[in-house]
């Protein structure tokens, strides 16, 4: 397999949320991508501390991770990230957004992100694939990913094309040209980690919502590996 470089723009370390079996958030990405291509090299930038690639190059993927912050939060590092996204997009630097990353790319490029009044998206969600480009990876036009979010993209940026949708979340992902690809779901999450979050870090959430989410972890199989293969094949 070809060697690829993926720059992880780390937007949260999730202190106190990770079980002992997961040493860091970036470890989840390392495990996921190495499972589909052991030659991938991951470089981590602590974007939550203001660290960003100074000279991004078009033959490397730049992946923006999830975060407990919101894309619309008026924080210096988020504003700097949005400015960086605009410059990178203008240079057609390959960008991938995951959850918060999906939302902050939309926000930076003129879309809109809002708190969803329908509540917490959690568990494994099945989405309808809208893009014909995804057909080789999702021949049944269904994609299943672990999700964990309260915010949603409610308006796409100019030029963005939705790639997947669901009844709960209209924009499960989008792409712009051949250089930007985003997902509301978490291809890096494992079932065990999602279960850990629901059982140990969701005290203020509705019990019925939690139980439905736990049920999906028993009855559905997430496709994180397939999504990892897809995004490397498309960028």
């Amino acid at each position: 397999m070809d060697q690829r470089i993926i720059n992880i723009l780390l937007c949260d370390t999730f202190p106190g949320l990770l079980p002992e079996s997961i040493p860091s958030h970036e470890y989840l990405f390392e495990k996921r991508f190495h499972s589909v291509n052991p030659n991938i090299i991951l470089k981590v930038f602590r974007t939550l501390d203001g660290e960003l690639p100074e000279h991004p190059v078009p033959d490397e993927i730049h992946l923006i991770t999830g975060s407990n912050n919101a894309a619309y939060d008026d924080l210096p590092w988020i504003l700097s990230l949005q400015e960086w996204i605009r410059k990178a997009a203008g240079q057609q630097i390959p960008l991938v957004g995951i959850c918060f990353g999906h939302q902050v790319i939309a926000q930076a490029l003129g879309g809109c992100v809002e708190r969803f009044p329908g509540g917490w998206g959690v568990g494994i969600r099945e989405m309808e694939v809208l893009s014909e480009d995804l057909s080789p990876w999702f021949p049944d036009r269904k994609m299943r990913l672990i999700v964990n979010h309260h915010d949603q993209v409610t308006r796409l940026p100019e030029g963005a094309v939705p790639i997947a949708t669901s009844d709960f979340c209209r924009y499960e992902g989008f792409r712009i040209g051949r250089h930007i690809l985003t997902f509301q779901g978490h291809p890096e999450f494992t079932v065990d980690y999602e279960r850990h979050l629901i059982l140990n870090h969701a005290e203020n959430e509705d019990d019925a919502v939690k139980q439905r989410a736990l049920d999906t972890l028993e009855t559905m199989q997430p496709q994180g590996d397939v999504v990892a293969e897809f995004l490397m094949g498309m960028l």
Side-chain angles (χ1 to χ4, degrees), residues 42-63:
L42 272 72
K43 299 179 181 179
V44 178
F45 294 82
R46 289 180 63 91
T47 297
L48 73 162
D49 294 328
E51 187 179 11
L52 290 161
E54 290 186 16
H55 303 290
V57 294
D59 60 349
E60 298 179 1
I61 294 173
H62 301 75
L63 186 151

Side-chain angles (χ1 to χ4, degrees), residues 13 20 202:
T13 58
E20 291 185 2

Side-chain angles (χ1 to χ4, degrees), residues 36-191:
V36 299
N37 184 348
N39 295 322
I40 284 177
I41 296 173
L42 272 72
K43 299 179 181 179
V44 178
F45 294 82
R46 289 180 63 91
T47 297
L48 73 162
D49 294 328
E51 187 179 11
L52 290 161
E54 290 186 16
H55 303 290
V57 294
D59 60 349
E60 298 179 1
I61 294 173
H62 301 75
L63 186 151
I64 304 171
T65 73
S67 176
N68 273 328
N69 290 111
Y72 45 78
D73 284 345
D74 189 23
L75 296 174
W77 73 266
I78 293 179
L79 299 176
S80 295
L81 173 59
Q82 291 187 22
E83 181 61 27
W84 184 92
I85 290 168
R86 287 189 283 270
K87 290 180 180 178
Q91 299 169 18
Q92 297 200 344
I93 299 297
L95 301 179
V96 173
I98 302 299
C99 197
F100 167 84
H102 156 77
Q103 296 164 5
V104 78
I105 290 174
Q107 184 86 7
L109 299 180
C112 184
V113 178
E114 298 176 286
R115 188 82 166 183
F116 181 53
W120 185 29
V122 63
I124 299 174
R125 193 157 66 225
E126 185 172 84
M127 310 151 191
E128 178 187 357
V129 171
L130 301 174
S131 173
E132 194 66 36
D133 289 343
L134 276 70
S135 296
W137 289 273
F138 304 98
D140 62 353
R141 305 301 290 265
K142 302 294 183 183
M143 177 168 61
R144 290 171 295 280
L145 281 179
I146 295 173
V147 297
N148 204 314
H149 65 108
H150 288 92
D151 290 347
Q152 294 193 18
V153 174
T154 56
R155 186 182 71 246
L156 292 178
E158 184 177 353
V161 177
I163 61 171
T165 189
S166 70
D167 291 340
F168 187 86
C169 181
R170 181 178 181 184
Y171 300 120
E172 294 280 7
F174 66 85
R175 66 178 308 155
I176 299 177
R178 307 296 295 188
H179 60 290
I180 296 177
L181 183 63
T182 75
F183 299 90
Q184 179 57 67
H186 285 274
E188 82 280 16
F189 274 23
T190 65
V191 168

Side-chain angles (χ1 to χ4, degrees), residues 204-218:
N204 298 323
E205 302 290 351
D206 183 84
D207 287 340
V209 172
K210 289 191 283 188
Q211 187 57 57
R212 285 195 297 270
L214 290 169
D215 290 345
T216 67
L217 302 183
E218 300 297 330

Side-chain angles (χ1 to χ4, degrees), residues 26-43:
E26 55 267 37
Y27 172 81
L28 291 169
F29 288 101
E30 179 182 347
K31 292 285 286 185
R32 177 65 67 215
F33 285 115
H34 282 167
S35 71
V36 299
N37 184 348
N39 295 322
I40 284 177
I41 296 173
L42 272 72
K43 299 179 181 179

